[in-house]
Amino acid sequence: MAEPAAPTAREPQKRGSPAPRTIVLWTAVALVGALGWAMLALSRDEEVSAAWMVAAALGSYAIGYRFYSRFILHRVLKADRNRATPAERLNDGVDFHPTDRRVLLGHHFAAISGAGPLVGPVLAAQMGYLPGTIWIIVGVIFAGAVQDMVVLFFSTRRNGKSLGRIAREEIGPIGGVAALVAVFTIMIILIAVLSLVVLNALAESPWGTFSTAMSIPIALFMGVYLRWIRPGRVAEVSALGIVLLLFAITAGSWVADSSWAAAFTLDKSTLVVWLVVYGFVASVLPVWMLLAPRDYLSTFMKIGTIGLLAVGIVVTLPMMKMEAVTDFATRGDGPVFAGSLFPFVFITIACGALSGFHALISSGTTPKMIQKETQVRMVGYGGMLMESSVAVMAMTAACILDPGLFFAMNAPPAIIGDTLESASQTITGWGYTITPDQLAEAAREVEEGSILSRTGGAPTFALGVAYIFAGVIGGSGMVAFWYHFAIMFEVLFILTAIDSGTRVGRFMLQEMIGNTQPLLSRARQASWMPAGLGRGIGRMEPTLGRFREVGWMPGAYLTSAVVVLAWGYFLWVGVHDPLGGINQLFPIFGISNQLLAAVALTVCTVLLVKSGRLKWAWVTGVPLVWDAVVTLTASWQKVFSGDPRVGFFSQRARAKEQIASGEFSGQELQDLQTIVTNTTVQGTLSAVFAVLIVVVIADAARICVKAVRNPETVELKEAPFEQSRLIAPAGLFPTREEKAELEAAGLGPGGGVPEEREVSRT
């Protein structure tokens, strides 16, 4: 019998002219956003209220989500609510599992939100608040959220395949293999960098370690509760989870002051081991048991804190003390990082606007859990807007600080020295006056020995948050509490990206190993292959082929172990060698992440062209061109710049000259030799990654031209259409029609498969 034709995508019904109240509402939203932008952009030589940052961001996000994301969902992607997703078709209860959209949004947001939206904007604040804010908000609406949404859609159409495998199948062997190598290598670097930030925050911190550790059993309880005790009761388990999480946070401060403190005061080496163990366990356990509920739980902490921060800004109305654009933006000699505004602001803000890491999640765990194609808008686009709001809050937190205090915290000792007097004198020379007494007072407020050179961005964000929260609750006496609360918040924020990243790495490695099976099969049949070797390969083939089955547990255990040991190795070496391991790779984090975004946008553009959507290819093509220009320019400068503060090889040449001078010995000489090694690795990797991306883009262009000229030769790797039996809303809140459909099927707000359909399916 012929297979029924796939239903067409269901677009919203056209209802004629919008209602007057709708016009008034969106006009008001547009005016609020426009007024916020005007105040930020036009204020010169005077302080501007941070509340205008909130207004500009929220107004822009609302319009972008309401209009642009809807256009992409229905006109460009033509998402089909009647098409079964891999979570429904391939449900195995381990990796593939239809997940309530509210839980999935929490998981996705928590998984994509690593250190980037907290750290990058803080560092970019040295250029002033305006350039970074423009990129965060405009970039996310037209680039970052688009990438996450489109990658999620196309991966869902391909059984949740990873970005690397999609590139291999849709672009071809040359560009595909280049993309696969780049994606996997960059992913290991990104996870190791995120782990390093967690390590620095939790080391010797019993409060943070206890609270973070307690989030794991709480998540396990939530997973079991939703799976077996009270299925579908998302609101109920959410309330329980929030109460337990708040208790764990409060109890962390009690533990820090008790006899238990020693048990939770861990050094960095011990934490590396625990992180590796946690990453492995989270990678192999069923997604419903730990990964999804823990990420969902963390989302309450993240969004709750960011929401309260926005409210605190509106209530306290702090002023932006950093300039709109600083002199460092044009000179390129900033103390936090060297380089001009273009391209380095766009590289430093690695998340919050556009992040390649997100494409790994959108083609990793999330497409294996999504109930409906129509939910990609809320999960992909909406989740990225949520992360961008975090980046805006991070920029605000940094810019409400006195600029002198900001630079004291973020400039390294080599520039400002290690005493209050030297730091004060150096920073005052830059035009930002701050006294030693003011620096000492800031340290006393947060109960730290010193706040000098607390680089990395996280402490600066925590201090800005502490001042805002203390202005609402507790006053100056609560600054220390809120500071340490913000530090712990950052740890919870980042840890969720590590477990999801490890699981995605496992998927990618399983796919790569499984794909060697047909290659070995062809080699075994070749005439030059010795008979004995051929028989040995023949015995290996069935096992290698099983690696493509992501639910095959022996393969899951082996590949998870390889992935955690890979990023764990760089982390371990970095802990024991301040110039080695992940410390060696940290300087290429931003560029690597943005190059990964270029791969994702390239794949999306190819798929739009190949699927007959050429007229809409600009949706991903324009951000691809921008990202490629910015990132390849940054790569060129980092490799070939003659300024040792910018170029890796220039720094290498200067270190070699210092070694050759014979003026250094002992530890100084060893450090110079390490610098030579590190800059060689950094410059070489930057060049290799850039070449790989150029190969991917060039090969993709060839495929696009071929698809346009000869559309009859196009072959897409989409899974065949299968009618969906599952009913679920597309957005966070069901529409009137969706509520009626759920009620008629006897389902709750989370959706599911009606009982009679389950019976017929069985």
Side-chain angles (χ1 to χ4, degrees):
M1 190 168 79
E3 188 175 314
T8 57
R10 207 165 108 177
E11 294 194 36
Q13 294 180 351
K14 296 180 180 179
R15 302 181 182 180
S17 301
R21 65 178 182 180
T22 301
I23 296 174
V24 171
L25 172 64
W26 287 105
T27 301
V29 170
L31 288 174
V32 168
L35 184 58
W37 280 116
M39 294 300 296
L40 293 176
L42 301 179
S43 297
R44 289 291 182 269
D45 301 322
E46 60 185 34
E47 294 182 355
V48 60
S49 173
W52 293 119
M53 292 275 280
V54 177
L58 294 183
S60 301
Y61 295 154
I63 292 173
Y65 184 81
R66 171 61 179 80
F67 297 102
Y68 192 50
S69 70
R70 189 179 185 182
F71 159 76
I72 294 174
L73 182 75
H74 295 294
R75 297 292 298 278
V76 179
L77 300 180
K78 300 185 183 300
D80 187 354
R81 68 189 300 272
N82 297 308
R83 189 186 188 106
T85 64
E88 180 182 356
R89 290 186 291 101
L90 307 175
N91 185 3
D92 60 7
V94 179
D95 296 307
F96 293 89
H97 177 67
T99 303
D100 187 290
R101 68 198 182 284
R102 295 162 293 184
V103 176
L104 184 60
L105 175 62
H107 156 73
H108 185 79
F109 168 68
I112 65 175
S113 302
L118 295 172
V119 173
V122 172
L123 303 181
Q126 84 159 5
M127 301 291 193
Y129 65 78
L130 190 57
T133 300
I134 292 174
W135 171 233
I136 291 169
I137 298 175
V138 176
V140 73
I141 291 172
F142 295 105
V146 173
Q147 172 206 257
D148 293 13
M149 176 183 177
V150 177
V151 170
L152 177 57
F153 173 81
F154 281 127
S155 180
T156 301
R157 280 280 173 100
R158 287 159 176 76
N159 290 335
K161 291 177 182 177
S162 70
L163 178 66
R165 185 170 177 185
I166 295 173
R168 171 69 178 80
E169 292 179 348
E170 299 288 357
I171 296 179
I174 298 177
V177 170
L180 202 61
V181 172
V183 168
F184 187 76
T185 306
I186 291 172
M187 185 205 62
I188 295 297
I189 294 174
L190 298 183
I191 297 175
V193 168
L194 295 174
S195 302
L196 180 64
V197 178
V198 172
L199 219 63
N200 290 334
L202 287 185
E204 312 298 335
S205 173
W207 183 0
T209 302
F210 174 82
S211 299
T212 303
M214 284 300 297
S215 68
I216 297 173
I218 294 173
L220 290 170
F221 164 74
M222 292 175 65
V224 172
Y225 194 96
L226 275 178
R227 179 79 170 183
W228 304 115
I229 301 175
R230 300 273 285 176
R233 305 286 184 170
V234 176
E236 194 174 294
V237 78
S238 299
L240 287 171
I242 292 171
V243 170
L244 291 172
L245 180 60
L246 292 175
F247 175 78
I249 294 169
T250 305
S253 63
W254 303 339
V255 168
D257 296 327
S258 72
S259 58
W260 290 11
F264 291 94
T265 305
L266 306 180
D267 59 27
K268 291 184 178 182
S269 298
T270 306
L271 284 170
V272 170
V273 175
W274 280 114
L275 279 176
V276 167
V277 171
Y278 170 73
F280 176 82
V281 172
S283 177
V284 299
L285 283 181
V287 288
W288 61 263
M289 184 178 290
L290 177 59
L291 194 69
R294 190 190 182 287
D295 290 353
Y296 179 60
L297 180 65
S298 298
T299 296
F300 284 110
M301 175 72 173
K302 295 175 179 181
I303 291 300
T305 301
I306 294 302
L308 290 175
L309 188 58
V311 171
I313 290 171
V314 173
V315 171
T316 60
L317 297 176
M319 305 303 289
M320 306 286 284
K321 296 180 180 176
M322 186 69 74
E323 301 163 87
V325 182
T326 68
D327 291 340
F328 296 124
T330 53
R331 296 207 308 258
D333 59 350
V336 180
F337 63 90
S340 57
L341 189 154
F342 179 89
F344 289 106
V345 159
F346 309 99
I347 299 302
T348 303
I349 303 178
C351 296
L354 174 65
S355 171
F357 179 77
H358 298 185
L360 302 182
I361 305 300
S362 292
S363 63
T365 54
T366 306
K368 298 177 179 65
M369 301 161 68
I370 198 165
Q371 295 171 312
K372 290 288 182 184
E373 283 187 1
T374 47
Q375 293 174 351
V376 300
R377 178 192 182 199
M378 179 192 71
V379 176
Y381 200 97
M384 182 55 182
L385 290 184
M386 290 162 61
E387 193 201 45
S388 183
S389 70
V390 176
V392 169
M393 292 298 104
M395 176 68 75
T396 305
C399 292
I400 65 167
L401 298 178
D402 183 279
L405 181 58
F406 169 85
F407 287 111
M409 295 185 71
N410 290 283
I415 294 178
I416 63 172
D418 54 6
T419 67
L420 299 179
E421 289 73 18
S422 64
S424 171
Q425 184 177 0
T426 303
I427 295 169
T428 299
W430 298 335
Y432 303 105
T433 303
I434 191 163
T435 67
D437 289 342
Q438 289 173 317
L439 294 173
E441 176 60 24
R444 281 193 296 270
E445 283 185 308
V446 296
E447 298 180 6
E448 295 281 356
S450 172
I451 49 86
L452 293 184
S453 301
R454 298 296 300 272
T455 56
T460 304
F461 172 78
L463 185 59
V465 169
Y467 283 150
I468 293 171
F469 280 174
V472 179
I473 302 174
S476 59
M478 287 288 287
V479 170
F481 172 85
W482 290 121
Y483 175 82
H484 288 92
F485 170 85
I487 289 289
M488 191 224 36
F489 158 78
E490 292 175 289
V491 173
L492 278 176
F493 209 104
I494 298 165
L495 191 59
T496 52
I498 297 173
D499 49 26
S500 297
T502 300
R503 198 177 190 97
V504 171
R506 170 201 137 196
F507 293 150
M508 291 180 60
L509 191 56
Q510 282 186 261
E511 290 174 354
M512 284 192 286
I513 295 174
N515 287 337
T516 62
Q517 187 260 339
L519 297 176
L520 290 175
S521 179
R522 288 195 292 270
R524 180 170 56 84
Q525 297 168 7
S527 58
W528 53 265
M529 177 70 69
L533 181 58
R535 286 193 297 270
I537 291 175
R539 287 192 291 270
M540 291 171 55
E541 282 184 38
T543 301
L544 291 175
R546 293 212 64 185
F547 273 90
R548 285 196 292 265
E549 305 170 19
V550 295
W552 185 51
M553 295 318 294
Y557 290 141
L558 177 61
T559 50
S560 294
V562 171
V563 172
V564 296
L565 290 176
W567 61 256
Y569 165 78
F570 288 113
L571 195 59
W572 179 269
V573 175
V575 165
H576 294 87
D577 181 359
L579 294 177
I582 191 54
N583 299 309
Q584 184 183 61
L585 301 176
F586 195 90
I588 62 175
F589 167 74
I591 288 178
S592 301
N593 193 36
Q594 299 306 81
L595 287 174
L596 189 54
V599 173
L601 290 168
T602 299
V603 171
C604 291
T605 305
V606 168
L607 290 175
L608 287 175
V609 173
K610 290 180 68 175
S611 59
R613 301 174 174 95
L614 176 62
K615 68 177 180 178
W616 304 124
W618 58 266
V619 170
T620 54
V622 171
L624 166 61
V625 171
W626 169 257
D627 183 51
V629 169
V630 167
T631 312
L632 292 176
T633 300
S635 298
W636 179 273
Q637 292 187 18
K638 293 299 288 183
V639 174
F640 297 110
S641 173
D643 185 349
R645 295 171 301 179
V646 177
F648 292 131
F649 289 150
S650 295
Q651 188 178 352
R652 175 179 179 269
R654 185 176 65 178
K656 291 186 73 173
E657 290 175 1
Q658 291 174 321
I659 293 172
S661 69
E663 298 176 3
F664 300 92
S665 61
Q667 186 60 48
E668 289 181 326
L669 180 60
Q670 291 181 19
D671 289 346
L672 286 172
Q673 292 170 339
T674 302
I675 289 173
V676 170
T677 302
N678 287 356
T679 50
T680 301
V681 172
Q682 292 158 1
T684 302
L685 281 179
S686 295
V688 169
F689 286 156
V691 169
L692 287 174
I693 301 311
V694 170
V695 170
V696 172
I697 294 175
D699 205 27
R702 177 184 64 84
I703 295 297
C704 289
V705 171
K706 180 181 177 182
V708 172
R709 289 179 175 176
N710 304 293
E712 68 280 356
T713 64
V714 171
E715 182 182 357
L716 290 171
K717 302 295 183 180
E718 281 189 1
F721 173 86
E722 182 176 321
Q723 181 70 36
S724 175
R725 297 174 173 85
L726 191 149
I727 298 173
L732 194 61
F733 303 104
T735 63
R736 185 181 306 169
E737 293 80 6
E738 289 171 338
K739 284 181 180 178
E741 186 179 22
L742 291 169
E743 289 173 3
L747 297 170
V753 178
E755 207 169 305
E756 62 272 15
R757 297 191 190 185
E758 281 283 9
V759 172
S760 65
R761 188 175 187 176
T762 303

